Every structure is written in structure tokens, then in C-alpha cells.
């Protein structure tokens, strides 16, 4: 449990922010969860109303409040469209921290977050071991998408088609890197993120390849930790603080101009959640976090704004690959990044870009939301899949590994023959073209 002093401090911060909501209900129109359930309790306005009497509700029914608050994708659609500028995600994160501080973590979450995620070396060992033996419980199901499904009935996996752990994680191939700036005169730190490291190492390779091609110096410290989003979205401030401190030590040791990631969720977490949740840190640590957050960029944003994309025009045949793009919520709604990933894709003349309908609607993943509410998550995901299929693309690109997992699941289950790529991989193809 969190100390009473820390809880009261968080409660005070929350009270100040809650007064901004004027109950207009405009968040209803954009909430993907409300579109599924039609329940006022699921939309931002309903949750904010619940939080107004948090102290009272917490004493009467803490688990009930916690469950209601957790029925949320943390997609930020409400915040991005709120006319009053309510910091909805900040409020929800703080409220989850208060509730978890009061009722404690479940045993399963304690084991995963505090026993594993908080210790990068243990996390690496466990996932490498799981990668070796995953074939005993799972089997490949779609070669094009690289998905697997459960071999035997499993309540955890259920009907999911998922991207398995990579045979060799990114950090084994590239444990660390420290190169000087080349022609660009710029040096970046590369924050890899758990999903790219353990499931999509190819994306990490593409980042390195492209940065080197553009003469960008790279600092990539070994033993990077998770950005902390699974911990803080479960209200586990202890693990979150541990992870932030671990990463600060790794990255602070070096001078770099920008910190880049190829994961929309990592970028949004470092840029927006780190500064938000560290109010009681010592001033010098807060200053370091502010500096890192200000200089954190999505890889597409970094390349477009600071480097300039490769301009090539070579003859291509008529069989250009039709590609569409899904806007990850953490990139478009949280950070306003939408033009740059499209620019990366469109830079490659072998592709023909086709915008899909509702490209910025949530894919339904929502991290732990998918684990606890798979039916609703999949229903939102199927709408996304239908829009992808309707665009008649043969490749769909997106800049968030979590979205890649959710979209893979939906396409694999329906048997649609559409590949998923990260925009940096499409851009990399241009660079390594023979
Ligand atoms: S969160 Fe924003 S959009 Fe939703 S009811 Fe409050 S003021 Fe209106
Ligand atoms: S974050 Fe997304 S799912 Fe949660 S209340 Fe806001 S719009 Fe709805």
C-alpha cells in the first residue's frame, strides 16, 4: 500500500483537475468503448463523475470503483476532443494510482510487474526462456502475418491469434551501440521498448539501418527497461518509479540531441506520462525528465523534421504495392503525429498509398484492457479490420507495436491476406534497395 501522505497528495492533484470538466458529454461521440456498450459509466464523463466522490466511493466499494475505472482503453480520444481541455488520461492514471495504493495490487499483477517487469534482467531471461518453449503450447496459424494460436484450450490465450516472441530478441543481436554523428551532425538515443525488443526485432533493425544511412550517431545503452506504461496504467507507482529511474540512469550518462523510439506508446509515455507522474521527485531529477521528455520524438517525426527524407525517383512497374495506414492513438491523439509516418511510407515509390476510412479510430487494444475485456476489444478491432479490408490495400502500416498485435489478431482470425509493417520498415526498403 502507498503511504497515506502520498495518497492525500495524489487526491489533491486529482480534485484540482476534476473541476475542469463541464459535463457537456461531447466525449460520448468519440469514445470507442461507449460506441460498443452505450453505457454512460464507460465514457469519460461518467468516470469523472464517479471520481468526484472518490474518497466516499473508495471507502464504500474500492474494487467496484477500480473495475469501472479500468474499463477504458486509455486511447485519449475523449481528451483530444474535449472542448474544456480536461486532462482525462492524467486524471485516470492518478485515480488508478490512488486506488491501487489503497487496495494493493492483485497477486498476478504483483508477480508480473514487481517480480519481472521491474527487473530488466529477469524480464529478459523469462521471455527468452518462454520464447524457447512457447511452441509446446502454441502453434503457427498464419504465415503471412506470423501469428500463432493456442495448441490446447487456454483461458489466457482464448481465441487470440498473436505474434509470438521472437526466437532472438533485439538486445541479443544489438546489445548496445555508441557511434559518433556522421553527415547529419546529430546524435540520438534509441529507446527500443519491450515489444520491439521481444516481438518485433526487425523494426529495431530498420531504425538502426535508417539512422546510420542518414549519418546520425546512435547511443543505445544496454539493459534498457520498459517505459513503465504497463505499471502506471495498473496504478503501480512503485514499479513505474523504479523503471523511470533505471532508464534515466542508462540514458543520462550520455549526451544526445534527441531520444527516438519506434513505438507510439513508449514515445507518448516518456513525453507525457513521465513528467506528469513525477511531481514529488527531487528537483534535479524532474529537470532531467523534463529535458528528456522535451527531446523525445517518434522516429518518423525525427526523420521528417530533423533530417529530411531520401528523395528518389526510379521507374516502378504498374504493380505498386497498395498500402494503408492506421493512426495509433498514442501517436495521433496524444502527440498530434499523423503526417510524418505517412511521409515515410509515401517516400517509397514502390508503394501506392490508400487512405482508409476512420484511420484514426482506436484499434481496441488498450494494453491490459485487451486481456480483461477481450470481447469488447475484439469487437472494436473488427471495425478497424473492416476499414483496412475496405481500403483494398495489401499492406497496412502502423507506428505502434501494440496496434500491430491487435490488427494481426483481427486479420489472422478473418483470414484476410494483408501484411502488417511499421512505416520505418517501408522506408528502410528504399534505403537498402539494390
Ligand atoms: S471530459 Fe470534456 S468532453 Fe467529456 S464531459 Fe467533460 S468537458 Fe465534456
Ligand atoms: S480514453 Fe478512450 S476508452 Fe477511455 S473514456 Fe476516453 S475515449 Fe473512452
Amino acid at each position: 500500500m502507498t503511504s497515506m501522505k502520498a495518497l492525500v497528495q495524489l487526491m489533491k492533484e486529482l480534485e484540482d483537475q476534476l473541476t475542469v470538466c463541464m459535463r457537456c458529454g461531447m466525449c460520448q461521440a468519440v469514445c470507442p468503448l461507449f460506441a460498443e456498450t452505450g453505457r454512460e459509466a464507460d465514457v469519460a464523463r461518467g468516470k469523472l463523475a464517479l471520481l468526484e466522490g472518490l474518497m466516499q466511493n473508495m471507502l464504500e466499494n474500492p474494487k467496484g470503483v477500480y473495475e469501472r475505472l479500468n474499463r477504458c482503453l486509455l486511447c485519449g480520444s475523449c481528451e483530444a476532443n474535449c472542448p474544456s481541455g480536461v486532462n482525462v488520461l492524467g486524471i485516470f492514471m492518478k485515480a488508478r494510482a490512488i486506488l491501487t495504493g489503497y487496495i494493493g495490487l492483485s497477486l498476478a499483477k504483483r508477480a508480473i510487474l514487481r517480480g519481472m517487469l521491474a527487473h530488466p534482467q529477469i524480464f529478459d531471461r523469462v521471455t527468452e526462456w518462454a520464447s524457447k518453449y512457447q511452441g509446446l503450447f502454441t502453434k503457427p496459424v498464419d504465415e503471412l502475418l506470423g501469428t500463432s494460436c493456442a495448441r490446447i484450450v487456454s483461458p489466457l490465450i482464448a481465441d487470440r491469434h498473436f505474434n509470438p516472441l521472437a526466437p532472438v530478441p533485439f538486445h541479443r543481436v544489438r546489445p548496445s551501440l555508441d557511434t559518433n554523428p556522421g553527415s547529419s551532425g546529430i546524435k540520438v538515443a534509441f529507446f527500443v521498448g519491450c515489444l520491439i525488443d521481444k516481438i518485433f526485432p526487425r523494426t529495431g533493425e530498420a531504425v538502426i539501418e535508417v539512422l546510420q544511412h542518414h549519418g546520425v550517431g546512435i547511443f543505445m545503452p544496454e539493459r534498457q527497461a520498459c517505459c513503465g506504461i504497463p505499471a502506471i496504467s495498473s496504478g503501480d507507482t512503485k514499479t513505474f518509479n523504479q523503471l523511470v529511474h533505471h532508464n534515466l540512469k542508462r540514458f543520462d550518462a550520455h549526451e544526445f540531441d534527441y531520444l527516438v523510439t519506434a513505438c507510439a506508446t513508449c514515445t507518448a509515455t516518456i513525453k507525457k506520462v513521465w513528467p506528469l507522474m513525477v511531481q514529488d521527485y527531487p528537483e534535479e531529477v524532474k529537470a532531467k525528465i523534463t529535458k528528456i521528455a522535451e527531446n523525445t520524438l517518434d522516429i518518423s517525426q525525427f526523420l521528417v523534421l530533423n533530417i529530411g527524407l531520401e528523395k528518389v525517383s526510379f521507374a516502378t512497374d504498374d504493380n505498386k504495392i497498395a498500402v494503408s495506414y492506421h493512426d495509433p492513438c498514442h501517436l495521433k491523439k496524444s502527440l498530434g503525429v499523423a503526417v510524418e509516418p505517412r511521409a515515410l511510407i509515401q517516400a517509397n515509390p514502390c508503394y501506392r498509398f490508400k487512405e482508409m476510412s476512420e484511420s484514426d479510430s482506436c484499434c481496441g487494444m488498450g494494453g491490459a484492457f485487451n486481456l480483461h475485456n477481450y470481447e469488447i476489444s475484439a469487437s472494436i478491432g473488427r471495425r478497424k479490420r473492416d476499414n483496412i479490408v475496405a481500403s483494398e490495400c495489401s499492406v497496412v502500416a502502423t507506428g505502434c507495436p501494440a496496434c500491430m498485435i491487435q490488427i494481426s489478431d483481427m486479420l489472422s482470425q478473418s483470414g484476410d491476406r494483408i501484411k502488417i509493417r511499421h512505416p520505418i520498415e517501408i522506408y528502410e526498403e528504399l534505403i537498402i534497395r539494390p
Side-chain angles (χ1 to χ4, degrees), residues 215-261:
V216 177
I218 305 170
F219 173 57
M220 194 179 69
E222 59 182 350
R223 284 202 298 286
Q224 298 183 26
C226 165
C227 66
I229 194 66
I232 201 62
S233 52
S234 295
D236 182 4
T237 47
K238 186 177 174 211
T239 303
F240 174 77
N241 289 339
Q242 222 171 309
L243 292 167
V244 172
H245 277 106
H246 178 102
N247 282 319
L248 269 189
K249 274 195 208 140
R250 296 276 144 197
F251 285 94
D252 189 47
H254 221 82
E255 283 295 312
F256 50 84
D257 301 299
Y258 301 96
L259 183 141
V260 299
T261 96

Side-chain angles (χ1 to χ4, degrees), residues 30-33 42-44 47 72-78 88-89 92:
V30 293
C31 175
L33 186 56
D42 285 335
V43 79
K47 291 190 180 89
C72 174
L73 292 144
L74 296 178
C75 66
S77 304
C78 44
V88 182
L89 296 186
F92 289 173

Side-chain angles (χ1 to χ4, degrees), residues 20-28 44-45 48 78 81-86 88:
V20 185
C21 173
M22 58 182 185
R23 306 281 186 269
C24 66
M26 286 177 74
C27 41
Q28 275 190 355
R45 181 175 64 178
L48 295 174
C78 44
N81 291 281
C82 172
S84 304
V86 179
V88 182

Side-chain angles (χ1 to χ4, degrees), residues 314-370:
F314 50 79
T316 55
D317 56 27
D318 291 339
N319 296 322
K320 289 191 176 192
I321 304 162
V323 58
S324 197
Y325 176 74
H326 157 69
D327 287 287
C329 295
H330 285 142
L331 215 46
K332 183 163 180 198
K333 289 164 196 139
S334 295
L335 303 172
V337 178
V339 172
E340 296 87 344
R342 286 174 171 78
L344 240 62
I345 297 165
Q346 287 169 324
N348 190 331
C350 297
Y351 287 79
R352 182 164 39 92
F353 189 77
K354 299 186 85 176
E355 200 67 67
M356 71 173 85
S357 301
E358 302 177 14
S359 62
D360 64 354
S361 70
C362 179
C363 69
M365 180 55 150
F369 180 88
N370 174 283

